[in-house]
């Protein structure tokens, strides 16, 4: 006889069993053991005649149909057998809403009337012993919040997706989180199509000093403007390529820029002002789920891949639970981070008082700590015996946590103003005065205009050597990377930390977005889906829609409202009537960068429409990147895919980081100081 402890994964079960020892049997449920029916065949016979049976939820009462999926039936039978012979059962799934729901469904299937929860945020012997001594009852409010989320996701997905099948194309899907994220991507691509470049000029001169430095013309004086007018720069223009309203700037022509550059060449400039200031760079907070996914891009890891690696590290007892939106650290962790910093760099490496961080996300669920190394004594990256991606992610977490408790980095910043005739020039430099946390984590890129300036005094004459004027154009809005999309989702309140990586992956799996280099470009199907939903079911596409829903779910979890009351407001009185009024008209939208050209949905796929004629749009074509010549070739049936030339040894552009195994991590563009060297094969 023994106590049965049930966790989600076999890896976690094996690790925990080694710590608990005799008297405990630790088994894995392999995630969820009950869910809404995934197919018609899974619907129980007694419900099949109900008009709502295919939804798996009665939309009038929000009563869900729960079934054990075929793939989980053997697991459930084995757990039921173990529960019948156990002295006690402890439900030790993760401590978030999802984990609480897993424990609830297990307790129902195993016939445990008074389920007991064992919760922990790290898999260490001390943490597990504390969890055994501080068990608690099942929190039915968390279960209700998770069930409300699952019901909404099912109703939205199953009621909105058929609209897409009838209006855009088959095998498409809509979802509460994925649709709002798609709108972010689509809005950025539409902005790129409406973008019109503007030209501006940058005039620089090299100051012939030791060391030499480069100064940039910022203002030009004239009879009309004796105090000088600033030269137009990129930020002075709108996305339409015109000056912003109220911009009082000098727009130079190429001839004027060349004339000014020629005037400066060989002249002496006078130093009119030298401003010295001290600037500080504060260490970033410890990692949370969203910032871990963003930081993973420095290691060339997708959001999905970095979360898979973090899951492995958590289950192996290396880090604390990786789904959190709180950057706070426990007193114990604060002390250990400070001890590690002092061990590495001496006692002067940390301030007199610990640094504590709070979230800026108003929707955050601060149930537990930031992601940090597990245990009361942390292991340095070069002692843990990890390799490849797991070592890289552990190093990132370790260094970010320790650095968060170190001193600010302090710089001396110098800004020099010079005059030469009618021109005012400026240069700036920055010198590191106290490295602080940068001794461990080199993540301060500084200003690209920073340079090493000589000691200068007002009134000093500085000879100039002009550089050729640089004609520049404003840049279109930058597409999101996976990391910046996660950041935008977090800022907008779209989804929760546990949904970010899956959402980004789903958008690509569904064919709504595709990686173009490191950026996410929206496909023709993605644009048509976004267009249809924005016109017919606009709340689904609004970023505030899911954020409002998350706030409501927080109220359910806190007991401020009931699951049914919340679902009634959100679904019955809110979204359901809008979906019911939606038209099945095929969406069509103009492509602003191609005159007289539209993108239209058709039964056989997206079509390009010009001059009353339509032609299928090849799936390889990204609408926002389509040129006039390519559009003509498509209409004439002569378009051919451009050949993709790749550098020798480069991965295929369609190969997902998350999908392919990696024997060793590629050299990252940024390597934190102190990161362990990676072994390479001879």
């Amino acid at each position: 006889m023994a106590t049965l402890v049930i966790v989600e994964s076999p890896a976690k079960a094996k690790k925990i069993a080694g710590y608990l020892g005799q008297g405990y049997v630790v088994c894995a449920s392999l995630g969820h053991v009950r869910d809404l029916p995934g197919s018609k065949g899974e619907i129980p016979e007694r419900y099949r005649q109900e008009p709502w049976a295919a939804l798996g939820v009665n939309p009038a009462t929000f009563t869900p149909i729960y079934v054990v999926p075929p793939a989980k039936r053997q697991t459930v039978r084995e757990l039921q057998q173990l529960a019948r012979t156990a002295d006690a059962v402890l439900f030790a799934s993760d401590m978030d809403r999802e984990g609480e729901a897993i424990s609830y469904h297990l307790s129902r299937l195993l016939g445990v009337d008074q389920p007991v929860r064992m919760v922990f945020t790290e898999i260490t012997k001390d943490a597990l012993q504390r969890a055994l001594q501080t068990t608690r009852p099942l929190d039915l409010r968390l279960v209700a919040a998770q069930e409300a989320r699952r019901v909404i996701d099912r109703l939205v997905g199953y009621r909105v997706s058929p609209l897409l099948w009838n209006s855009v194309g088959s095998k498409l899907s809509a979802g509460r989180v994925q649709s709002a994220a798609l709108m972010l991507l689509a809005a950025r691509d539409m902005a790129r199509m409406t973008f019109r470049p503007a030209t501006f000029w940058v005039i620089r001169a090299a100051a012939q000093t030791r060391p030499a430095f480069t100064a940039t013309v910022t203002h030009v004086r004239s009879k009309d403007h004796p105090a000088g007018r600033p030269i137009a720069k990129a930020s002075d223009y709108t996305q339409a390529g015109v000056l912003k309203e109220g911009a009082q700037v000098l727009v130079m022509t190429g001839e004027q820029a060349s004339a000014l550059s020629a005037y400066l060449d060989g002249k002496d400039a006078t130093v009119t002002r030298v401003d010295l200031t001290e600037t500080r760079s504060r260490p970033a907070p410890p990692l949370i789920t969203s910032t871990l996914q963003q930081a993973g891009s420095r290691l060339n890891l997708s959001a999905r891949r970095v979360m898979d690696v973090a899951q492995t590290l958590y289950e192996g007892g290396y880090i604390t639970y990786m789904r959190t939106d709180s950057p706070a650290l426990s007193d114990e962790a604060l002390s250990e981070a400070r001890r590690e910093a002092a061990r590495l760099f001496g006692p002067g490496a940390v301030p007199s008082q610990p640094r504590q961080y709070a979230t800026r996300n108003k929707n955050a669920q601060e149930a537990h700590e930031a992601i940090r190394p597990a245990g009361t004594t942390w292991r340095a990256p070069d002692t843990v015996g990890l390799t490849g991606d797991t070592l890289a992610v552990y190093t990132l977490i370790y260094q970010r946590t320790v650095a968060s408790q170190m001193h600010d980095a302090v710089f001396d910043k110098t800004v020099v103003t010079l005059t030469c005739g009618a021109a005012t020039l400026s240069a700036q430099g920055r010198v590191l005065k106290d490295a602080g946390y940068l001794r461990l984590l080199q993540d301060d890129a500084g200003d690209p205009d920073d340079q090493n300036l000589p000691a200068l005094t007002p009134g000093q004459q500085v000879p100039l050597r002009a550089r050729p004027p640089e004609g520049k154009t404003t840049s279109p809005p930058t597409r999101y990377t996976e990391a910046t999309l996660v950041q935008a989702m977090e800022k907008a309140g779209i989804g929760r930390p546990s949904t970010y990586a899956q959402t980004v992956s789903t958008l690509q799996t569904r064919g709504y977005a595709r990686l173009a280099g490191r950026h996410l470009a929206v496909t023709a199907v993605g644009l048509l889906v976004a267009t249809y939903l924005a016109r017919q079911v606009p709340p689904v596409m609004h970023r505030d829609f899911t954020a409002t829903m998350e706030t409501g779910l927080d109220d359910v979890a806190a007991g401020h409202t009931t699951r049914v009351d919340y679902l009634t407001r959100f679904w019955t009185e809110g979204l359901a009537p809008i979906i019911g009024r939606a038209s099945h008209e095929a969406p069509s939208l103009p492509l602003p960068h191609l005159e007289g050209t539209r993108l239209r949905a058709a039964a056989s796929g997206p079509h390009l429409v010009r001059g009353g004629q339509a032609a299928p749009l090849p799936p390889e074509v990204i609408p926002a990147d389509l040129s006039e010549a390519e559009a003509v070739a498509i209409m004439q049936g002569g378009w051919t895919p451009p050949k993709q030339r790749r550098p020798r040894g480069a991965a295929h552009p369609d190969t997902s980081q998350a999908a392919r195994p990696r024997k060793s991590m590629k050299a990252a563009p940024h390597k934190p100081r102190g990161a362990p060297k990676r072994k390479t094969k001879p």
Side-chain angles (χ1 to χ4, degrees):
M1 303 291 284
T3 297
L4 175 62
V5 179
I6 305 177
V7 297
E8 291 104 327
S9 77
K12 189 190 296 187
K14 183 178 179 180
K15 190 75 175 182
I16 292 173
Y19 285 130
L20 296 184
Q22 294 183 348
Y24 294 90
V25 174
V26 187
C27 293
S29 68
L30 305 177
H32 283 276
V33 291
R34 284 205 308 182
D35 198 5
L36 304 178
S39 65
K40 184 177 180 181
E42 292 183 19
I43 301 173
E45 183 64 37
R46 65 180 182 277
Y47 294 113
R48 290 184 180 175
Q49 300 306 313
E50 298 288 347
W52 48 265
L55 291 174
V57 176
N58 184 342
T61 63
F62 304 111
T63 303
I65 301 173
Y66 286 123
V67 298
V68 178
K72 293 298 181 70
R73 290 170 186 168
Q74 180 61 31
T75 299
V76 170
R77 285 193 291 267
E78 292 172 358
L79 291 174
Q80 288 172 333
Q81 179 61 35
L82 290 169
R84 281 194 288 268
T85 59
D87 291 328
V89 180
L90 295 178
F91 298 95
S93 50
D94 292 339
M95 64 179 295
D96 54 15
R97 294 173 186 170
E98 204 78 9
E100 206 74 12
I102 290 173
S103 292
Y104 167 79
H105 290 296
L106 279 168
S107 70
R108 302 282 76 79
L109 291 170
L110 304 187
V112 179
D113 294 330
Q114 300 294 327
V116 177
R117 285 283 275 131
M118 173 185 174
V119 293
F120 43 87
T121 61
E122 55 185 329
I123 302 176
T124 62
K125 188 171 184 178
D126 289 344
L128 293 171
Q129 291 300 322
R130 286 196 300 269
L132 288 173
Q133 297 167 10
T134 56
T135 57
R136 62 166 173 80
L138 193 72
D139 190 335
L140 293 177
R141 297 178 304 181
L142 294 181
V143 176
Q146 191 278 338
E147 184 171 88
R149 178 197 298 277
R150 187 70 184 96
V151 167
I152 286 174
D153 286 345
R154 173 57 65 94
L155 291 174
V156 172
Y158 275 43
R159 289 291 305 276
V160 178
S161 294
L163 298 176
L164 297 178
W165 304 341
N166 293 323
S167 58
V168 181
S170 60
K171 299 181 181 180
L172 300 178
S173 73
R176 174 183 56 86
V177 175
Q178 80 174 47
S179 296
L182 174 61
M183 193 61 193
L184 293 176
L185 295 178
R188 188 62 57 90
D189 263 34
M190 290 300 297
R192 288 173 66 86
M193 286 189 274
T194 58
F195 170 78
R196 297 294 180 267
T199 300
F200 62 98
W201 290 87
V202 176
I203 301 143
R204 307 182 198 271
Q208 305 300 292
T209 56
R210 291 188 178 181
F213 65 93
T214 300
T216 303
V217 177
T218 60
H219 294 70
V220 174
R221 292 180 298 281
S222 65
K223 292 180 179 179
D224 293 333
H225 302 284
R229 264 202 169 184
I231 293 180
K233 53 188 180 298
S235 59
D236 294 315
Y237 291 92
T238 69
Q239 294 296 309
V242 298
L243 283 175
K244 293 179 180 177
E245 185 177 355
Q248 300 295 318
V249 295
L250 174 62
V251 179
M252 301 195 75
T253 65
E255 292 77 10
Q256 290 171 326
S258 296
L260 180 55
S261 179
Y263 171 81
L264 296 174
D265 193 39
K267 298 289 195 308
D268 284 347
T270 302
V271 177
T272 57
R273 184 169 178 173
V274 179
D275 293 315
L276 299 174
T277 57
E278 182 181 275
T279 63
R280 289 177 173 267
S281 171
R282 192 181 189 201
L287 292 164
I288 60 177
T289 305
S290 60
T291 53
L292 174 62
Q293 293 174 19
Q294 294 165 47
S297 65
R298 293 184 178 182
L299 307 175
N300 289 330
L301 299 180
S302 68
R304 183 70 175 270
R305 174 63 179 159
V306 79
M307 289 306 294
D308 288 344
V309 172
Q311 178 85 37
T312 300
L313 289 170
Y314 168 64
E315 292 178 352
Y318 294 99
I319 64 171
T320 54
Y321 191 50
M322 66 289 165
R323 292 191 178 94
T324 174
D325 42 20
S326 169
L329 294 173
S330 66
D331 291 342
E332 180 183 83
L334 288 171
S335 296
E336 181 59 15
R338 290 167 61 83
R339 277 196 296 268
E340 280 293 278
R343 180 184 68 81
L344 291 169
F345 305 109
V350 295
S352 59
Q353 296 297 321
R355 295 180 185 269
Q356 190 60 280
Y357 298 85
T359 182
R360 295 180 180 180
N361 182 357
K362 64 181 181 180
N363 293 319
Q365 301 174 35
E366 300 187 73
H368 41 82
E369 288 185 84
I371 306 168
R372 61 166 177 83
T376 55
T377 302
W378 296 350
R379 292 172 285 180
D382 58 356
T383 68
V384 291
L386 299 170
T387 59
D389 291 349
T390 51
L391 175 59
V393 174
Y394 179 79
T395 301
L396 179 68
I397 293 168
Y398 169 90
Q399 292 187 334
R400 180 74 170 255
T401 311
V402 174
S404 74
Q405 294 306 307
M406 296 177 67
H407 281 293
D408 293 351
V410 183
F411 300 85
D412 281 335
K413 182 177 181 179
T414 303
V415 178
V416 177
T417 304
L418 310 98
T419 58
C420 183
T424 300
L425 302 90
S426 179
Q428 69 179 44
R430 190 175 70 157
V431 177
L432 183 62
K433 183 178 179 181
D434 184 346
Y437 75 95
L438 293 179
R439 298 166 72 184
L440 176 63
L441 191 62
Q442 291 281 9
D443 68 344
D444 191 289
D447 191 305
D449 291 331
D450 280 339
Q451 54 191 315
N452 188 16
L453 296 178
L456 298 169
T457 57
Q460 182 176 344
Q461 298 293 301
V462 176
L464 299 179
R465 179 61 55 87
R467 294 181 176 177
E470 304 169 47
K472 296 181 177 292
T473 57
T474 54
S475 300
T478 304
R479 287 186 170 117
Y480 291 104
T481 63
E482 290 193 358
T484 56
L485 178 60
V486 167
Q487 185 179 36
M489 290 172 64
E490 180 187 33
K491 183 178 180 180
I494 297 172
R496 285 293 191 200
S498 59
T499 67
Y500 296 150
Q502 180 60 49
T503 300
V504 174
S505 177
T506 298
L507 289 171
Q508 296 174 71
T509 302
R510 296 291 184 188
Y512 295 166
R514 188 165 69 236
L515 281 174
R518 295 173 60 87
H519 294 85
L520 289 163
V522 183
T523 65
V525 171
L527 278 180
L528 289 168
V529 168
T531 299
Y532 176 83
L533 294 177
R535 292 173 181 173
Q536 303 298 336
V537 196
V540 175
M541 304 302 287
H542 288 170
R543 63 180 66 188
D544 293 339
F545 171 80
T546 185
T548 301
M549 176 195 147
E550 296 292 353
T551 301
L553 291 173
D554 291 344
D555 289 341
V556 175
H560 298 152
T561 188
T562 68
R563 180 185 69 91
V564 172
D565 285 347
Y566 167 68
L567 289 171
T568 299
R569 290 195 306 272
F570 189 88
W571 178 257
T572 308
E573 300 170 358
L575 196 54
I578 296 173
I579 293 174
R581 294 192 297 268
S583 165
H584 291 175
E585 180 182 359
S588 172
L589 74 152
L591 300 182
H593 62 308
L594 299 172
E595 187 175 353
T597 305
R598 301 185 69 85
L599 181 67
R600 188 179 69 194
S604 58
H607 277 57
L608 206 62
V609 181
R610 288 167 67 99
Q613 302 296 316
L617 186 70
E620 301 93 335
V621 174
I622 297 296
D625 297 340
L626 185 62
S627 69
E628 176 66 26
E630 289 172 323
V632 171
I634 289 171
M635 297 305 298
Q636 295 175 349
W639 183 88
T640 56
K643 291 183 178 180
Q644 298 286 336
R645 295 189 63 185
R646 290 179 281 132
R648 184 178 299 175
H652 190 281
D654 289 338
T655 302
S656 168
Q657 295 259 14
R660 58 185 173 91
R662 291 154 50 100
K663 293 183 180 179
S664 63
M665 193 181 74
K666 294 180 180 179
H670 162 85
K671 181 180 178 182
R673 179 176 294 178
K677 295 181 179 179
R678 299 185 179 89
K679 296 180 180 179
T680 56
K681 294 183 179 180

